[in-house]
Amino acid sequence: MEPPTALTWRDRLVDALRSRGTALFLAGLALGWLLFANPFVDRPLTVTLHNDTDVLIESVWLDFGHGLSQSNLYEGQLRPGERRGIALNHPPGAGFNMKVRYADGESLEFCANRGVEGRRQTVRLYR
Protein backbone atom coordinates (compact mmCIF):
# COMPACT_ATOMS: atom_id res chain seq x y z
CA MET A 1 0.00 0.00 0.00
CA GLU A 2 1.31 3.43 -0.92
CA PRO A 3 1.49 6.20 1.69
CA PRO A 4 -0.95 9.10 1.12
CA THR A 5 0.65 12.08 -0.54
CA ALA A 6 0.83 15.27 1.44
CA LEU A 7 -1.36 18.09 0.20
CA THR A 8 0.54 21.16 -0.86
CA TRP A 9 -0.65 24.65 -0.13
CA ARG A 10 -1.69 24.97 -3.77
CA ASP A 11 -3.97 21.96 -3.45
CA ARG A 12 -5.52 23.36 -0.31
CA LEU A 13 -6.08 26.73 -2.01
CA VAL A 14 -7.80 25.10 -4.98
CA ASP A 15 -9.99 23.05 -2.63
CA ALA A 16 -10.94 26.17 -0.66
CA LEU A 17 -11.81 28.09 -3.82
CA ARG A 18 -13.97 25.22 -5.05
CA SER A 19 -15.90 24.90 -1.81
CA ARG A 20 -19.50 26.03 -1.55
CA GLY A 21 -18.83 28.02 1.63
CA THR A 22 -16.18 30.14 -0.09
CA ALA A 23 -18.49 30.85 -3.01
CA LEU A 24 -21.30 31.94 -0.68
CA PHE A 25 -18.91 34.11 1.34
CA LEU A 26 -17.63 35.90 -1.78
CA ALA A 27 -21.19 36.35 -3.09
CA GLY A 28 -22.19 37.87 0.27
CA LEU A 29 -19.27 40.29 0.15
CA ALA A 30 -20.15 41.39 -3.37
CA LEU A 31 -23.83 41.83 -2.52
CA GLY A 32 -23.00 43.80 0.62
CA TRP A 33 -20.70 46.11 -1.30
CA LEU A 34 -23.33 46.71 -3.98
CA LEU A 35 -26.01 47.50 -1.40
CA PHE A 36 -24.08 49.57 1.12
CA ALA A 37 -21.04 51.08 -0.58
CA ASN A 38 -21.49 54.46 -2.23
CA PRO A 39 -18.15 55.58 -3.64
CA PHE A 40 -19.54 58.94 -4.81
CA VAL A 41 -20.63 60.32 -1.43
CA ASP A 42 -17.19 61.37 -0.25
CA ARG A 43 -15.99 62.93 -3.51
CA PRO A 44 -15.96 66.72 -3.40
CA LEU A 45 -17.17 69.08 -6.10
CA THR A 46 -14.02 70.53 -7.68
CA VAL A 47 -14.42 74.07 -9.04
CA THR A 48 -11.72 75.90 -10.99
CA LEU A 49 -11.89 79.70 -10.82
CA HIS A 50 -10.45 81.61 -13.81
CA ASN A 51 -9.72 85.34 -13.60
CA ASP A 52 -10.36 86.30 -17.24
CA THR A 53 -9.94 90.03 -16.63
CA ASP A 54 -6.91 92.33 -16.60
CA VAL A 55 -7.75 93.43 -13.03
CA LEU A 56 -6.66 91.81 -9.78
CA ILE A 57 -9.48 90.08 -7.90
CA GLU A 58 -9.18 91.01 -4.23
CA SER A 59 -11.46 88.29 -2.87
CA VAL A 60 -13.99 85.64 -3.80
CA TRP A 61 -16.67 84.51 -1.33
CA LEU A 62 -18.58 81.32 -2.04
CA ASP A 63 -21.78 80.54 -0.14
CA PHE A 64 -23.34 77.12 -0.61
CA GLY A 65 -25.60 74.68 1.16
CA HIS A 66 -27.90 71.72 0.75
CA GLY A 67 -30.14 69.76 3.04
CA LEU A 68 -29.52 70.98 6.56
CA SER A 69 -25.95 72.22 6.03
CA GLN A 70 -24.76 75.68 5.04
CA SER A 71 -21.13 76.64 4.33
CA ASN A 72 -19.08 79.50 2.99
CA LEU A 73 -15.56 79.72 1.66
CA TYR A 74 -13.20 82.65 1.21
CA GLU A 75 -10.53 82.74 -1.48
CA GLY A 76 -7.87 85.45 -1.52
CA GLN A 77 -6.38 87.32 -4.45
CA LEU A 78 -6.47 86.02 -8.01
CA ARG A 79 -4.09 87.76 -10.40
CA PRO A 80 -5.20 88.48 -13.97
CA GLY A 81 -5.15 85.23 -15.94
CA GLU A 82 -4.68 83.08 -12.82
CA ARG A 83 -6.59 79.83 -12.26
CA ARG A 84 -7.28 78.25 -8.89
CA GLY A 85 -8.96 74.96 -8.00
CA ILE A 86 -11.10 74.64 -4.89
CA ALA A 87 -13.06 71.72 -3.42
CA LEU A 88 -16.61 72.10 -2.11
CA ASN A 89 -18.69 69.66 -0.08
CA HIS A 90 -21.67 70.33 -2.32
CA PRO A 91 -23.73 68.32 -4.82
CA PRO A 92 -23.28 69.07 -8.53
CA GLY A 93 -26.13 70.94 -10.18
CA ALA A 94 -27.28 72.74 -7.03
CA GLY A 95 -25.37 75.95 -7.79
CA PHE A 96 -23.62 78.22 -5.31
CA ASN A 97 -23.59 81.95 -4.60
CA MET A 98 -20.46 83.97 -5.35
CA LYS A 99 -19.36 87.47 -4.43
CA VAL A 100 -16.31 88.71 -6.34
CA ARG A 101 -14.52 91.93 -5.34
CA TYR A 102 -12.07 93.51 -7.79
CA ALA A 103 -9.09 95.70 -6.89
CA ASP A 104 -10.68 98.75 -8.56
CA GLY A 105 -13.64 98.59 -6.12
CA GLU A 106 -16.20 96.93 -8.36
CA SER A 107 -17.95 93.84 -7.03
CA LEU A 108 -20.25 91.22 -8.55
CA GLU A 109 -22.71 88.87 -6.87
CA PHE A 110 -24.30 85.96 -8.71
CA CYS A 111 -25.38 82.32 -8.52
CA ALA A 112 -22.92 80.12 -10.39
CA ASN A 113 -23.30 76.72 -12.04
CA ARG A 114 -26.93 75.99 -11.18
CA GLY A 115 -27.91 72.99 -13.30
CA VAL A 116 -24.31 72.16 -14.24
CA GLU A 117 -23.65 68.45 -13.67
CA GLY A 118 -20.32 66.75 -13.08
CA ARG A 119 -17.85 66.77 -10.22
CA ARG A 120 -15.33 68.98 -12.09
CA GLN A 121 -16.66 72.44 -12.92
CA THR A 122 -15.30 75.80 -14.05
CA VAL A 123 -16.29 79.39 -13.25
CA ARG A 124 -14.83 82.05 -15.54
CA LEU A 125 -14.75 85.44 -13.83
CA TYR A 126 -15.08 88.40 -16.19
CA ARG A 127 -16.87 91.74 -16.36
Side-chain angles (χ1 to χ4, degrees):
M1 180 188 258
E2 294 180 21
T5 58
L7 292 178
T8 66
W9 65 271
R10 289 184 186 133
D11 294 330
R12 290 182 183 177
L13 178 64
V14 168
D15 288 343
L17 291 176
R18 286 184 183 169
S19 76
R20 186 176 186 172
T22 302
L24 290 173
F25 175 72
L26 293 176
L29 281 178
L31 182 63
W33 182 81
L34 288 173
L35 291 175
F36 299 110
N38 190 351
F40 302 110
V41 170
D42 296 328
R43 289 181 40 208
L45 173 65
T46 304
V47 178
T48 303
L49 303 176
H50 292 256
N51 183 357
D52 286 344
T53 68
D54 56 355
V55 179
L56 175 76
I57 293 177
E58 288 284 331
S59 62
V60 178
W61 283 94
L62 291 100
D63 188 27
F64 52 96
H66 61 69
L68 298 175
S69 68
Q70 184 70 28
S71 300
N72 58 36
L73 181 70
Y74 170 81
E75 283 295 317
Q77 296 181 343
L78 280 169
R79 292 184 297 277
E82 183 179 355
R83 299 176 183 182
R84 183 174 305 156
I86 56 175
L88 307 178
N89 184 18
H90 192 59
F96 43 91
N97 295 318
M98 294 185 68
K99 182 176 182 179
V100 181
R101 196 177 78 191
Y102 293 92
D104 62 4
E106 185 177 341
S107 65
L108 298 173
E109 292 187 44
F110 56 94
C111 179
N113 292 11
R114 179 173 294 276
V116 177
E117 294 299 325
R119 293 256 170 216
R120 293 182 173 264
Q121 298 183 10
T122 302
V123 176
R124 300 187 86 77
L125 301 169
Y126 57 90
R127 300 193 277 181

